[in-house]
Amino acid sequence: MPSTDAPLELRTYFGPADAPLYGALHLPASRRVRGAVLLVPPLAKEQYDAQRGLRRLAALLAADGLAVLRFDYLGTGDSAGPAGLPDAAAGWIVSVRHADAYLRDLGVRAPAVVALRAGAAVAGAAGLTPPAAVLWDPIGGRPFTRAQGALARMAIGAGPDTWIGLDVHPTAVAELATLPADALAAPRVLIAERPGAAPVGPVGADRIAVDGMPEFVEPSAHLVRIPDAAVADIAAWLGAALPDGERVTVAPEIRARARWGDVEERIEDIGGAAAIRTVPAVGAPRRSVLLCATANDTRHGPNRAWVALAREVAAAGGAALRFDRRGAGESGPVDAGEAVALFPPAGVDDAVAAARALDGPLLTAGVCSGSWYAAHAARAAAADTTVLVNTVLYSWRLKPGITAAPAQDLGVPRTDPAFARSPRGRLKELLRTRLPYPAWRLLGRRGVTQVPEVLLRPVVAAGTDAVLVLAPPDAAWFDSQRGPEGLRRLLRLAGRQRAGTVRAVRPGAGDHPGYHPDVRADVATAILQWCEQR
């Protein structure tokens, strides 16, 4: 019978000391377990979109007396290693073996496996021998790699080295493409398949239909929906498939720090927000960088940009902190039917607390809604510099509908031509073109429209330098909101005592979420140039 006590979630590093993997071990509150389950994640953006759904499954299984491990592949998430290497596919396969070994070292039975999407192809190549396996919406390497390449070309205009959520090398893509969806074998197999999918797996496998997979791993916008019914069905099937034998009290090795090369990373909790601090392996950091997540994205940043930047900052002698605000990523419990809010009231508190957990001169940075949090943190902590990437919300005031968890996607973006043709869009265009700038700015201060100067003026006036990185669609939005007029006014402030400077960087290509390498390169340049200052 499942325990009524909340299960434990212990974040840890494991595997080789020189290339540690990041994971989270879920246990019953009593630490007495009757078996184990390994959750093998998807790849690319699906890996991050699925995180809270996998956390919910892990919590249900732990409450049923099972030890459950989630993990990041080598070169993904918070694990060691860069992305885009030619041997990345081999690294992903080895990561599955290390995760399996970690669970076996607990002294319980061999772990069952749940492999989601392309994780099924990777797990199948790892040579595991689980007592039971769940292939959850499995997809083979060839259709997956083709779909990811096409999506990146169409959605962000990226080349073959960039998928949405993951930088790749052609050799690794070719190796992944050879892996079938259903090579993972076990005495008992469940295929949790989306309706209409081509059948895979052994003829005698148990099967359930899973609705809502596109909204879970392939959402069209920021709103991710967890297929709660499927999560419950998979948990129930595993609970029945794993015999309820003698329970073992486990004492797992939990490593909150990992050091490799010239950096050290530390697993932390800042007021309920799951965080990773990156520091030099030797010596005290000279400067600090706060990296804010956006929307329902995790702390890793677009295409893991925050992870790579944090390690470059530490190699340059600084400290970097990335975190999941409460209710997103690995922070807070995952509730049935949840929808992650873009601007929850606690989000500002989390960003400010994270900023105040850093020492020395401070730079804050974020993309989209993350840039709004970065501006708050910069203002509260008197940051030296803030890097605001593709900001959309330039008001300090939030409408109640924005702070609540969304029932659906927020509709037509204000940057979309469809909004410009709407009655409201036509009215705002009339106001934008006819109102004197002071009156336009007043509307922005009241939250009626978005005026860049409204967000930037208090930050710059307090002495913080602001760098705006604006991909082409966001630059057009900035210009349409009379941003250049505001920048000219703010530049006049720069001559005053204590006022900071402000400048805009406009990549020649790129997308709003920042997946395109041109956007990420300009952000990295702005942050690393600041880190090199003495």
Side-chain angles (χ1 to χ4, degrees):
M1 181 176 180
S3 169
T4 57
D5 295 328
L8 304 175
E9 184 174 4
L10 308 175
R11 300 187 295 137
T12 184
Y13 296 103
F14 66 95
D18 60 348
L21 302 175
Y22 175 88
L25 181 66
H26 297 251
L27 296 174
S30 66
R31 297 179 183 250
R32 291 181 57 78
V33 303
R34 63 183 182 88
V37 180
L38 175 62
L39 303 186
V40 181
L43 286 165
K45 185 173 180 289
E46 295 181 9
Q47 180 176 355
Y48 306 105
D49 285 338
Q51 185 181 75
R52 287 187 72 79
L54 290 177
R55 286 186 66 218
R56 178 160 177 77
L57 175 59
L60 291 176
L61 293 171
D64 196 20
L66 299 168
V68 185
L69 181 66
R70 298 182 294 105
F71 72 97
D72 294 332
Y73 300 108
L74 186 68
T76 76
D78 292 307
S79 290
L85 297 180
D87 61 350
W92 303 333
I93 294 167
V94 171
S95 299
V96 174
R97 294 174 183 152
H98 284 307
D100 180 74
Y102 179 84
L103 284 173
R104 289 174 183 265
D105 285 346
L106 296 179
V108 296
R109 298 184 183 94
V113 175
V114 178
L116 177 58
R117 296 285 290 160
V122 178
L128 307 183
T129 56
V134 179
L135 304 183
W136 186 0
D137 193 25
I139 183 170
R142 186 171 301 279
F144 179 77
T145 56
R146 286 178 174 174
Q148 293 302 310
L151 178 62
R153 288 193 300 272
M154 291 187 295
I156 64 173
D161 295 341
T162 302
W163 289 349
I164 296 179
L166 180 66
D167 291 339
V168 292
H169 190 280
T171 300
V173 172
E175 291 180 4
L176 178 61
T178 66
L179 304 182
D182 54 359
L184 181 63
R188 297 196 62 180
V189 176
L190 171 68
I191 311 294
E193 54 197 358
R194 67 173 71 188
V200 299
V203 174
D206 295 332
R207 297 179 184 270
I208 59 172
V210 178
D211 294 320
M213 287 306 297
E215 295 78 11
F216 180 37
V217 293
E218 303 162 309
S220 59
H222 72 274
L223 181 58
V224 174
R225 291 289 193 189
I226 298 172
D228 293 312
V231 169
D233 288 344
I234 291 170
W237 185 89
L238 281 167
L242 298 176
D244 192 2
E246 180 182 355
R247 299 199 173 217
V248 177
T249 300
V250 297
E253 179 188 12
I254 302 298
R255 293 155 47 189
R257 296 189 179 194
R259 177 180 292 195
W260 68 94
D262 49 9
V263 304
E264 177 177 293
E265 295 211 314
R266 304 169 183 172
I267 297 170
E268 298 187 7
D269 182 285
I270 300 174
I276 301 287
R277 187 186 300 264
T278 310
V279 296
V282 178
R286 298 181 294 101
R287 291 172 168 252
S288 294
V289 174
L290 176 66
L291 302 165
C292 299
T294 184
N296 68 340
D297 288 351
T298 56
R299 60 180 175 265
H300 309 95
N303 276 46
R304 202 173 172 239
W306 287 169
V307 178
L309 264 171
R311 294 169 184 175
E312 289 188 75
V313 167
L321 188 68
R322 58 189 186 270
F323 69 100
D324 293 324
R325 67 178 186 272
R326 284 171 289 173
E330 286 194 307
S331 299
V334 184
D335 298 320
E338 74 163 23
V340 176
L342 284 172
F343 298 97
V348 171
D349 295 337
D350 292 339
V352 172
R356 289 175 174 164
L358 290 163
D359 299 318
L362 174 67
L363 179 147
T364 69
V367 181
C368 187
S369 58
S371 71
W372 190 79
Y373 288 115
H376 271 280
R379 189 177 181 184
D384 181 83
T385 298
T386 186
V387 178
L388 309 180
V389 186
N390 295 340
T391 304
V392 172
L393 187 66
Y394 287 105
S395 174
W396 295 97
R397 294 187 179 187
L398 294 180
K399 297 176 182 178
I402 294 179
T403 60
Q408 57 187 6
D409 283 325
L410 297 180
V412 179
R414 300 296 182 256
T415 53
D416 194 298
F419 175 76
R421 294 191 295 268
S422 69
R424 189 176 179 187
R426 289 196 297 269
L427 174 60
K428 286 199 170 183
E429 176 64 13
L430 182 65
L431 294 174
R432 183 186 72 83
T433 56
R434 300 294 179 86
L435 278 180
Y437 184 81
W440 175 253
R441 189 181 68 176
L442 180 61
L443 290 180
R445 291 178 62 185
R446 293 182 175 177
V448 176
T449 189
Q450 300 303 316
V451 180
E453 186 187 347
V454 170
L455 183 75
L456 295 170
R457 177 169 283 271
V459 176
V460 172
T464 298
D465 295 333
V467 180
L468 308 180
V469 179
L470 302 169
D474 297 276
W477 169 248
F478 177 82
D479 293 344
S480 74
Q481 298 305 104
R482 300 172 74 168
E485 289 179 73
L487 253 59
R488 288 194 292 270
R489 293 167 60 92
L490 293 172
L491 286 172
R492 289 196 289 270
L493 265 182
R496 301 181 189 176
Q497 188 177 6
R498 294 186 64 251
T501 63
V502 59
R503 63 186 177 95
V505 177
R506 300 181 180 228
D511 58 309
H512 174 69
Y515 296 118
H516 194 284
D518 287 4
V519 178
R520 290 184 278 132
D522 281 341
V523 174
T525 296
I527 292 175
L528 294 175
Q529 284 181 346
W530 178 84
C531 289
E532 292 167 0
Q533 296 176 19
R534 298 293 177 182

